Every structure is written in C-alpha cells, then in structure tokens.
Amino acid sequence: MQGNLTSSFHLLASLGTLLPQFAVSADVHCRCFPGDACWPSRERWAAFNKTLGGKLVETIPLAAPCHDSRFGQYNAGECNTLQEAWTLPQTHYDSSSSIMAPFFANQSCDPFTGIQGRCILGTYNRYAVAVGSASDVSKALRFTERNNIRITIRNTGHDYNGKSAGAGSLGIWTHHLKDIQISDHRSRHYTGKAMKMGAGVQGFEAYAAAHQHGLVVLGGECPTVGLAGGYAQGGGHSTLGSKYGLAADQVLEWEVVDARGRHLTASRAKNSDLFWALSGGGGGTFGVVLSMTVKAHADMPTSGGNLSFTSDGISQDTFWKAIEAYHVSLPAIVDEGIMSVSAFSTSSFAISPMTGPGVSAERMNELLQPLTSTLDRLGIKYTKLVKQFPNYFEEFNTMFAPIQVGIAQYGGRLVPRSAVLNNNSAVTHAYRKIANDGGAFFIVGINVSTSVAGDVYNSINPAWRDTLLDTVVTTPWNFTAPWSQMVANANKMTDKFIPILKDISPGSGTYINEADFQDPDFKQDYYGVNYDRLLQIKQKYDPNHTFYALTAVGSDYWEARPDGRLCKSRRNA
C-alpha cells in the first residue's frame, strides 16, 4: 500500500493531506513538521525524487483499504485479507512505512478499528528513500538538513521499541540492499570465511546463502529479521549463540554513511571507535549502515530438541518446581554450546527448541536427563523430541515455527548465572509473581561469555557476558480492546514487572532489542558502563544529532511532543 512517488504523486495530490491546508509557524527548536510553513512543497519533494532517480516513496498506510478515508474507500475483500495476515511479518516487511509493533503505530491506520476508524499518517514516516547506494543516503541527509526534517532509519519494521517509527519523518529505507558476498578474510584478529551482506539482507536469505557454501552465520530466531540493522547493532542473540557468542561478536567490518554524508568503513583497524559503537551500542543513532561483514563458520551436524508439559492435573507448586528444575539444568546445557528457547505462563511450559551445533542427539538427551528425571519424580506428563540433523540449516528450518508479530508488548532483563546457582527459588518466585499477574515469558538460555565469544572488541553491555537467562516478559496485545487498556499494560510492564526482575538481578542489564521502552534507567540498563563512551562517539560522528531513535544513545537531546513533533529537550533548546 505504498508506491514510488512518480506513481502515487497524483493520487495523493487528489486526496489532499491529512493536515489543515494552512501553514503554521515552525518552532525553531523543533524539526519541521507537516503543516508548518517550512515543510517542503510537493514540487520540492518531486524535485528531490528526481535527484534520486525515482527512489522516493510516498506513504499510503498499509491498512487504508479497511477505512473510508482520504486514501480511498473501504474495500471489504482487501481488508479481510489484511486482517487475516496482519500478524505475519511478511505482511509488513516489504513496506517502507508499516510498523509491526502496534503500540508505536498508535492506531494511525489500524485494520481492526472499523470503517470509520481514523486512517491518518500519524506515526508513519511521510516519505522514504529506497536507498540503493551511499549516494542515495547522502542526498537524503542533505535534503533533510536543508529542510530541518526528522529522519528515521528502517529496514523491515521488526522493531519492538519504536526506533523506526517517526511522525513527520523521512525514512531511510535500506530493505533493498540485498547483496551477499562470501570471501576469505585475513586480519590481525580473524582469519577465515566471511560474509558481507547488505543492510537489507534478512535472516532466511543469509542462512540459505551460507548453507550453499557449507557455512553458517548468526541471525535471529525469527528468520525475517534484517541482520545488519538493529539486530546486530544491538547485540543479537542467536541459536548459535552458546557456540560463537552474540551477533555483534561476529562483526568484522561495517560500511556506513555518517551524519555528514561521509561514506565510511569501520573495523578494528579503521574508524575503530565507530566500529566499537556500532557493534552493540544500538541501531538508528550512529549512522546509516549499508553493509556488514561477519565471520562465517563451517556448518556441522546439529541436534534439535523440544520438550513440553502443562499444568493440567498438577498443582501450581509442582508446575513451578518443574520450571525451577529446568533452570537448574541450563548451565550444563549452554556450556555444551547449546542455546535453549523456552516459553511459559501459568498453564504451560515448552522448550521450543534447543539447538545443539556440533552436539549429538545422544548427548542432548543426556543433558536433558536431570530435567526429565525430575519431571518423572513430580508425576508430570511431558512430550519430548530430540533429533539429529545433518546440518544447522535443516535443524533451523525444521525446529522453528513461524513467529507472529504484533501480538504482544515486551520488556526484559538479563538474569545472570549466579542468580540461578545461588538463589534459584527467588528467580522462580519472581517469574511466578509476574505470570500470576498476566505476564508470559520467552526466555533464551545462553552462554555468551568471553570464553565463548573469544577475541572481541565491541560495546556489548557487559551484563551479557554473565547471563544465563535472557528473560523476556510479555503482555498480550488486543487490537479490539480499548487503547487505554494497552497503555495500562505498557505501564504495568514498567511499574511492576520490570522492577520484579531487577530485584533478582541487581547490577545486571537488559537486551536493547527486547527491552521495556519506558525504562527510566535505560542508559544504565541498556548500555551499562559503555554509555558515556558511546555518547562521545555519537557526538563525534553526529554532532548535530541528526539521527534520533527512542532510548538510543543521545536520544535525550530530543523529545517527542504529543502530536509526534520532535523538538529539542529543554536543556538543549
């Protein structure tokens, strides 16, 4: 539901804008906003598009067919199709504007709010540049600088924390940067196979390309996530994490355009400060990444395992004793190089799946034996499957089910190994308290210590290195519930759930990409001791704070007003 400017220009010109047709004076401390006298005319946007060779995309909300609006009339057939597919990532990731996390769409144009529900541009970017080169990015930066327009950086829209959304913004859309190259890399710190991937390359594309060469690269459990964006820039846990470390630990080189429009290469040998910041310091704030070169490892036989049980026929005390036993078993499991994903609430528990690169099915069964023995002793009926696969690619494609989007709100905490080893009952009590209050859990059992990651140089939150349980707590999203209820859920995450998790993990932190976006202590929780150095690097490469993303390094330079207008915070005005 968007098109190249040359094809959509006349359509939207006839529809008119969604703001009053009169100019208002701009606040000199704010980014220029649609409706302001400073906002570029349609002729200036068209001229800009010409300099780009027709790569400017004008936003039409994806769910416009579900409403009678200035974008067109309601279309029942199209709307039904959209509603049925709205929680599938592929519905959104080819869009230059759609937002997978509904909280940050703010019902700007929601397919479930009815024909007369508002369909406005709201928090979506106004335009996007479908970049194909560094030159396109530099032109976009010059245009926004001259016109004082907000920028957002976007790839697929996989974004739980609102970093790629922005009212009145120009999106720099990297989704079409799909080049992949396999090479032999030799440097002081790494000699071996490497993969260079464009910023638009998604997990499934990288995995398939690596597999063709007998290799593996690290990526997310959701295969449609873009790897070089916020995923790797924010750290990036992976099913291969206990074998090789985090995604940011694999990076050898970044290709980036900074706020001045300079096309730079960042590695441990060149622009090393920028390399350090991009490798774990969070996306959307240091520059526009065009490509990433990462270590590519030799593929290997890989085991996969599932185990699940419910609370049917047992007491809650017994149910939680079983979950506690699972956590007790994890240190030995992750130290074998296995990553284990679990999900649970008050009624069910599932390991789905365990991934053991280079680990036999027999060994995986041995590592599960302490847990299954406890389940037997507790009288809990469970199902278990452990299977050997000839390579990682087949294990991943077989064992992972499709992951929906837009079904939950997220918050999280990195729970260290010491919390489980020394006070596992407190960990269980905290999880149980949250679950009894409506929360559900998605937990990555992992070991990404320096003994696993090896010789790395990056800005990963040091709390990761001691983590055993990357804990994500969720509250359900309901598209038809009152908006106030969803806001209340977000506040419950901030005010109740996250403090409970902090109590069991003092001094630890949070995974940037699965964090509570309202965390008042985000500088410490997201970045740890690295924040001040990251801010210095931000100011070096982006002295005018061209790039803004919610909770990103330097984000408190700006503040978003209720209408979405981005303005300098009071201390910077």
Side-chain angles (χ1 to χ4, degrees):
M1 295 305 297
Q2 77 248 335
N4 184 281
L5 182 62
T6 54
S7 63
S8 63
F9 188 94
H10 297 295
L11 169 64
L12 288 192
S14 66
L15 297 176
T17 67
L18 297 181
L19 293 168
Q21 297 300 302
F22 56 85
V24 297
S25 298
D27 186 326
V28 295
H29 300 299
C30 300
R31 292 297 191 200
C32 187
F33 202 66
D36 291 346
C38 58
W39 187 256
S41 66
R42 297 190 64 78
E43 290 73 21
R44 285 171 68 190
W45 283 108
F48 174 47
N49 183 45
K50 190 173 182 180
T51 71
L52 294 166
K55 295 175 183 174
L56 190 65
V57 180
E58 186 164 13
T59 297
I60 300 174
L62 197 62
C66 293
H67 305 274
D68 282 335
S69 71
R70 296 181 180 181
F71 296 108
Q73 293 184 326
Y74 172 77
N75 183 308
E78 288 187 36
C79 184
N80 288 338
T81 299
L82 280 168
Q83 289 176 342
E84 291 173 0
W86 199 250
T87 60
L88 301 177
Q90 56 265 37
T91 301
H92 305 270
Y93 64 60
D94 286 330
S95 165
S96 65
S97 59
S98 191
I99 300 167
M100 292 188 192
F103 189 90
F104 297 101
N106 194 29
Q107 294 184 323
S108 299
C109 190
D110 191 308
F112 300 100
T113 54
I115 298 174
Q116 300 304 320
R118 67 174 189 165
C119 186
I120 60 174
L121 291 177
T123 62
Y124 304 128
N125 56 52
R126 288 295 170 123
Y127 297 87
V129 177
V131 298
S133 66
S135 175
D136 294 335
V137 176
S138 296
K139 290 174 183 177
L141 293 173
R142 285 197 297 271
F143 182 83
T144 56
E145 182 180 8
R146 292 189 191 115
N147 295 282
N148 190 30
I149 293 173
R150 177 179 180 178
I151 279 178
T152 52
I153 303 172
R154 173 192 175 83
N155 178 12
T156 63
H158 274 284
D159 175 13
Y160 298 142
N161 291 327
K163 286 180 166 57
S164 61
S169 67
L170 173 66
I172 296 182
W173 188 30
T174 64
H175 187 58
H176 297 293
L177 299 174
K178 296 285 192 180
D179 288 347
I180 295 176
Q181 300 172 21
I182 305 291
S183 65
D184 293 307
H185 184 92
R186 181 179 292 273
S187 69
R188 178 181 174 186
H189 302 285
Y190 174 76
T191 298
K193 292 292 185 180
M195 176 185 286
K196 181 178 181 180
M197 63 185 83
V201 172
Q202 294 166 266
F204 67 91
E205 295 164 325
Y207 304 155
H211 177 63
Q212 290 176 359
H213 291 81
L215 301 169
V216 297
V217 293
L218 273 66
E221 293 89 335
C222 181
T224 57
V225 171
L227 300 190
Y231 168 72
Q233 290 175 54
H237 61 63
S238 166
T239 54
L240 296 171
S242 293
K243 181 76 172 178
Y244 299 115
L246 295 169
D249 295 329
Q250 315 306 308
V251 181
L252 301 167
E253 186 174 280
W254 298 98
E255 181 187 8
V256 61
V257 177
D258 75 356
R260 296 183 177 94
R262 298 179 300 177
H263 186 191
L264 304 175
T265 297
S267 67
R268 291 180 73 165
K270 186 177 183 181
N271 297 312
S272 60
D273 55 351
L274 182 59
F275 172 83
W276 181 86
L278 286 169
S279 305
T285 191
F286 298 106
V288 180
V289 167
L290 300 178
S291 74
M292 172 180 76
T293 302
V294 299
K295 300 173 184 176
H297 306 279
D299 203 349
M300 71 214 83
T302 301
S303 56
N306 289 333
L307 185 149
S308 63
F309 55 87
T310 72
S311 61
D312 292 346
I314 60 174
S315 68
Q316 279 290 295
D317 285 346
T318 300
F319 177 75
W320 287 99
K321 283 180 181 177
I323 293 176
E324 190 169 282
Y326 165 66
H327 293 151
V328 169
S329 72
L330 270 177
I333 290 171
V334 300
D335 289 351
E336 197 82 12
I338 296 170
M339 194 274 263
S340 183
V341 179
S342 63
F344 57 89
S345 60
T346 58
S347 59
S348 64
F349 170 89
I351 299 172
S352 181
M354 296 171 65
T355 298
V359 178
S360 68
E362 180 182 17
R363 180 58 178 153
M364 184 174 282
N365 273 313
E366 290 175 356
L367 291 163
L368 280 170
Q369 187 64 44
L371 173 59
T372 56
S373 294
T374 300
L375 296 179
D376 291 336
R377 178 174 55 81
L378 293 172
I380 296 175
K381 297 179 181 179
Y382 60 90
T383 61
K384 186 185 76 162
L385 168 69
V386 173
K387 186 176 180 180
Q388 188 74 43
F389 294 87
N391 53 64
Y392 170 73
F393 188 68
E394 291 188 35
E395 187 274 341
F396 183 91
N397 288 332
T398 302
M399 300 300 291
F400 276 89
I403 297 176
Q404 292 182 303
V405 300
I407 60 173
Q409 298 185 71
Y410 295 79
R413 189 71 175 171
L414 301 174
V415 177
R417 179 180 296 228
S418 60
V420 174
L421 295 179
N422 301 329
N423 200 1
N424 198 19
S425 60
V427 174
T428 304
H429 176 75
Y431 289 170
R432 185 172 178 177
K433 186 175 182 180
I434 291 170
N436 287 338
D437 199 14
F441 290 90
F442 170 90
I443 293 183
V444 173
I446 199 167
N447 173 10
V448 292
S449 62
T450 53
S451 62
V452 171
D455 176 23
V456 294
Y457 176 73
N458 56 43
S459 53
I460 290 295
N461 188 332
W464 264 114
R465 303 308 181 189
D466 301 319
T467 293
L468 177 66
L469 306 175
D470 171 27
T471 301
V472 180
V473 60
T474 69
T475 56
W477 184 268
N478 186 335
F479 284 99
T480 59
W483 183 258
S484 59
Q485 182 179 327
M486 298 299 97
V487 173
N489 280 353
N491 293 337
K492 178 187 280 190
M493 183 73 70
T494 304
D495 299 333
K496 297 183 70 175
F497 292 170
I498 300 304
I500 292 172
L501 295 178
K502 287 186 179 183
D503 284 345
I504 60 169
S505 56
S508 187
T510 300
Y511 176 32
I512 296 172
N513 294 333
E514 294 170 350
D516 171 26
F517 70 94
Q518 296 185 129
D519 185 347
D521 302 317
F522 77 89
K523 292 181 183 180
Q524 175 61 38
D525 291 337
Y526 290 17
Y527 308 100
V529 297
N530 293 329
Y531 186 83
D532 289 344
R533 183 181 174 192
L534 286 166
L535 182 60
Q536 291 175 355
I537 296 169
K538 160 79 170 175
Q539 291 169 336
K540 175 182 175 180
Y541 289 93
D542 183 16
N544 297 320
H545 289 260
T546 297
F547 302 116
Y548 165 83
L550 185 66
T551 68
V553 171
S555 57
D556 55 356
Y557 183 88
W558 299 98
E559 59 185 14
R561 293 185 176 174
D563 63 355
R565 185 187 297 266
L566 194 65
C567 301
K568 292 180 182 179
S569 58
R570 291 180 181 178
R571 68 173 187 168
N572 295 306

